[in-house]
Amino acid sequence: MKIPFSPPYIDDDIKREVLDTLESGWITSGPKVLALEKLVAEHTGLTHVACCNSATSGLMLLLHWYGVTRGDEVIIPAYTYAATALVVMHLGATPVMVDSGDDFNIDIAKVRDKITSKTKAIIPVDIAGWPCDYHALFDLINTPEVMAKFTPVTENQKKLGRILVLSDAAHSLGAMYANKPIGVWGDFSVFSFHAVKNVTTAEGGAMCINLPQSDFNHSEVYRTLKLWSLNGQTKDALAKTNGAGWRYDIVYPGFKMNMPDICAAIGLAQLRKYPTLMLPDRKRVAEAYVKGLANYSWAILPPIKDAERESSYHVFALRIKGITETQRDVMIERITEAGVSVNVHFQPLPILTVFREKGYQIEDYPVAFSCYATEISLPIYPQLDQDKIDYIIDAVVRAYESL
Ligand SMILES: *Cc1c(COP(=O)(O)O)cnc(C)c1O
């Protein structure tokens, strides 16, 4: 049997939606993007969501919106995908890394020590789709001593008056925290629609706006983000083609980060069936793994549901008790030989060259390292039936027993 790690979910509805775009005479940013924004807003209960061409772009644009620049610090987990750190570096600011807790997510208790007068934002990441402890995070950020350290410079920083919480929700579309969906827990939350994420547009992202309503006008923030993601141009291409409206202005040195309609069409058709079909199917797979692996004392199962949270089941991050990194690699080889593609989420950033060369040291992030060294991500997607799940579990068990 050959089992891929994360094939895209493409059915007739998705093909029809894309074909509709192709035949419409308009393929870049237009009505489908607006429809996708509206649907993400409906799913999260927000009024304003702005799409862009990747979560990476969205994170960077939002940090820029908050005025993050040279000399500033942004707190991030050491255990995440590199984009979380790179967006900070692109703006000339410094990513300040924090170790993980046992649930893979940033250890909020360790954040306090990393906050300085240069800290402008924190980017919590809901690793594998498991929500961070947002209550604990906001409690920390709102404590008087932390508030007193905050040194606002730009207009938006003065208005918010505290560290910005920019949630990297690349994994967690559909996850729940304290009875509310992910998307409403950060001041901004960014979903990724990359090909391997729970809902995809091939490449794409969505910026959810949830700033305090008392100080920020969400439709104004939305307009700014859309303007800055399209070169700072006062009219998008579609508006220019309509009627005699060819004349436009460039009012800001913006970026080119807009999402094309042809991509939005894929996401639109997927998102329509995500809550009723695709997400429950991911949950089914996760629960089948839990059931199939629960009796093995060496299997450390990832958190997927408790009284306060429910995962989006993006990654099934299995850990193996007591094994070394080398033994983990051997297990992956054996599982791969059985035809099952697995993965590792993630290599903590300090072990990657670009960060190591900047002086980050993995020894400072022992929990992140141990999460990584013992981790194997199993395939999880709607197309996996029970036969395949059983086959995968069997491959994992045999790989462990061969050690
Ligand atoms: C995938 C991912 C991103 C980047 O998403 P893109 O849409 O590919 O830019 C950012 N953060 C995390 C944690 C991710 O897994």
Side-chain angles (χ1 to χ4, degrees):
M1 197 164 340
K2 274 258 174 277
I3 301 178
F5 183 69
S6 182
Y9 182 94
I10 305 294
D11 64 11
D12 286 343
D13 291 332
I14 293 162
K15 290 178 191 166
R16 240 191 319 274
E17 198 67 45
V18 173
L19 198 60
D20 182 60
T21 305
L22 289 172
E23 289 171 347
S24 75
W26 192 260
I27 58 173
T28 190
S29 307
K32 298 276 190 207
V33 170
L34 296 179
L36 180 59
E37 289 174 344
K38 195 159 161 267
L39 197 56
V40 177
E42 268 170 35
H43 280 258
T44 48
L46 292 166
T47 54
H48 290 86
V49 173
C51 283
C52 55
N53 63 359
S54 71
T56 305
S57 294
L59 290 167
M60 188 178 128
L61 190 67
L62 292 166
L63 288 177
H64 180 65
W65 176 90
Y66 201 52
V68 170
T69 186
R70 223 160 282 282
D72 290 339
E73 293 175 355
V74 176
I75 293 175
I76 64 164
Y79 195 83
T80 181
Y81 178 60
T84 318
L86 296 178
V87 294
V88 177
M89 288 157 64
H90 293 329
L91 296 169
T94 304
V96 174
M97 297 182 192
V98 174
D99 202 8
S100 336
D102 192 47
D103 64 354
F104 297 94
N105 284 342
I106 189 166
D107 187 341
I108 309 281
K110 291 181 185 158
V111 169
R112 182 187 291 265
D113 286 347
K114 304 285 180 115
I115 296 172
T116 74
S117 59
K118 295 177 182 170
T119 311
K120 290 293 191 295
I122 177 164
I123 311 182
V125 186
D126 305 321
I127 297 287
W130 181 244
C132 291
D133 188 346
Y134 288 95
H135 284 149
L137 180 59
F138 273 97
D139 283 351
L140 172 65
I141 279 167
N142 288 319
T143 55
E145 48 180 304
V146 171
M147 296 275 281
K149 278 191 189 159
F150 188 68
T151 315
V153 177
T154 68
E155 206 50 44
N156 286 331
Q157 290 169 10
K158 285 176 188 157
K159 268 206 264 180
L160 189 62
R162 59 161 169 78
I163 295 171
L164 178 83
V165 176
L166 172 55
S167 166
D168 178 340
H171 298 181
S172 51
L173 177 66
M176 298 291 288
Y177 178 79
N179 297 318
K180 286 191 194 148
I182 290 300
V184 308
W185 285 102
D187 297 305
F188 294 108
S189 301
V190 180
F191 295 127
S192 170
F193 298 133
H194 176 265
V196 303
K197 302 291 158 66
N198 284 19
V199 169
T200 187
T201 58
E203 297 284 355
M207 300 175 275
C208 300
I209 303 168
N210 189 43
L211 293 157
Q213 299 262 20
S214 47
D215 299 306
F216 295 92
N217 178 328
H218 287 189
S219 74
E220 217 169 84
V221 175
Y222 170 86
R223 276 198 304 276
T224 301
L225 294 174
K226 294 288 281 200
L227 182 77
W228 291 9
S229 66
L230 215 145
N231 294 331
Q233 183 172 305
T234 50
K235 271 181 198 167
D236 65 23
L238 184 58
K240 285 202 296 160
T241 57
N242 289 340
W246 62 269
R247 195 186 292 277
Y248 62 88
D249 196 7
I250 301 287
V251 294
Y252 187 81
F255 304 92
K256 191 65 168 58
M257 296 175 163
N258 56 304
M259 175 188 282
D261 263 19
I262 198 165
C263 293
I266 303 171
L268 197 53
Q270 283 201 351
L271 191 54
R272 281 188 197 123
K273 56 182 66 178
Y274 182 60
T276 51
L277 212 102
M278 294 169 69
L279 185 57
D281 259 336
R282 299 186 85 97
K283 179 175 179 166
R284 168 183 58 80
V285 177
E287 286 175 343
Y289 282 141
V290 168
K291 198 157 168 245
L293 289 163
N295 289 330
Y296 297 97
S297 61
W298 47 262
I300 306 173
L301 300 169
I304 52 176
K305 198 170 185 338
D306 68 12
E308 201 167 45
R309 312 178 226 200
E310 180 165 3
S311 180
S312 67
Y313 309 96
H314 175 57
V315 168
F316 194 88
L318 177 68
R319 276 174 291 176
I320 314 295
K321 205 173 279 175
I323 61 167
T324 63
E325 186 182 1
T326 313
Q327 287 175 313
R328 188 274 314 273
D329 292 349
V330 170
M331 275 187 73
I332 289 183
E333 250 172 63
R334 304 265 154 85
I335 296 167
T336 309
E337 279 161 18
V340 178
S341 289
V342 290
N343 228 307
V344 174
H345 292 91
F346 287 93
Q347 301 182 74
L349 303 182
I351 72 175
L352 303 174
T353 302
V354 74
F355 304 105
R356 203 177 56 233
E357 286 180 353
K358 285 202 172 295
Y360 297 93
Q361 293 180 321
I362 189 61
E363 293 73 27
D364 296 334
Y365 310 94
V367 182
F369 184 78
S370 132
C371 284
Y372 149 77
T374 57
E375 200 266 358
I376 301 173
S377 306
L378 305 184
I380 180 166
Y381 45 88
Q383 304 94 308
L384 282 177
D385 60 25
Q386 190 61 42
D387 274 358
K388 294 199 176 85
I389 296 167
D390 290 339
Y391 184 84
I392 294 165
I393 293 171
D394 187 56
V396 173
V397 171
R398 280 188 293 119
Y400 178 78
E401 286 171 352
S402 78
L403 285 181

